[in-house]
């Protein structure tokens, strides 16, 4: 299983200011959740509920069935596509 510190860093300069703010907030929520912080602490720091942080964490850990790679931090970028659309 891939660990968080092995995930590829995101080039934030390629994001708009709005996307960068959302990405940083989501990343902070995921890091707090991963470190075992409680729901109140996550909410106070990010404004996100613990369930949202858990959903984001699972999205980061989800593997692409075609490549076998985890979504990593790029799964936290707003409107990012981590799975290919298959009809």
């Amino acid at each position: 299983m891939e660990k968080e510190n092995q995930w590829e860093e995101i080039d934030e300069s390629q994001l708009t200011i709005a996307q960068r703010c959302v990405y940083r907030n989501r990343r902070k929520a995921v890091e707090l959740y991963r470190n075992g912080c409680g729901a109140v602490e996550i909410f106070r720091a990010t404004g996100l509920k613990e369930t949202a942080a858990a959903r984001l964490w699972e999205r980061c850990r989800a593997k692409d069935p075609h490549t076998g790679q985890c979504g990593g931090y790029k799964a936290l970028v707003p409107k990012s596509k981590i799975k290919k659309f298959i009809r």
Side-chain angles (χ1 to χ4, degrees):
M1 172 168 44
E2 279 188 79
K3 300 208 186 247
E4 178 182 348
N5 57 6
Q6 296 174 337
W7 292 346
E8 186 178 329
E9 289 293 326
I10 298 297
D11 181 10
E12 293 184 25
S13 66
Q14 301 297 317
L15 303 176
T16 65
I17 292 173
Q19 287 175 320
R20 195 174 307 143
C21 289
V22 171
Y23 167 74
R24 288 179 179 169
N25 197 47
R26 288 176 176 180
R27 182 168 173 164
K28 185 172 188 171
V30 166
E31 289 171 357
L32 290 171
Y33 178 79
R34 183 178 172 270
N35 291 328
C37 294
V40 173
E41 189 174 351
I42 293 171
F43 185 77
R44 283 184 182 158
T46 64
L48 295 174
K49 293 183 179 182
E50 184 180 24
T51 54
R55 180 182 49 78
L56 290 169
W57 170 246
E58 289 303 319
R59 184 176 172 159
C60 289
R61 292 182 54 218
K63 292 191 180 222
D64 184 335
H66 301 292
T67 64
Q69 293 181 334
C70 288
Y73 292 128
K74 64 183 167 190
L76 301 176
V77 175
K79 299 184 181 182
S80 63
K81 304 288 187 258
I82 56 172
K83 291 182 183 176
K84 293 185 178 189
F85 177 75
I86 299 173
R87 193 173 276 245

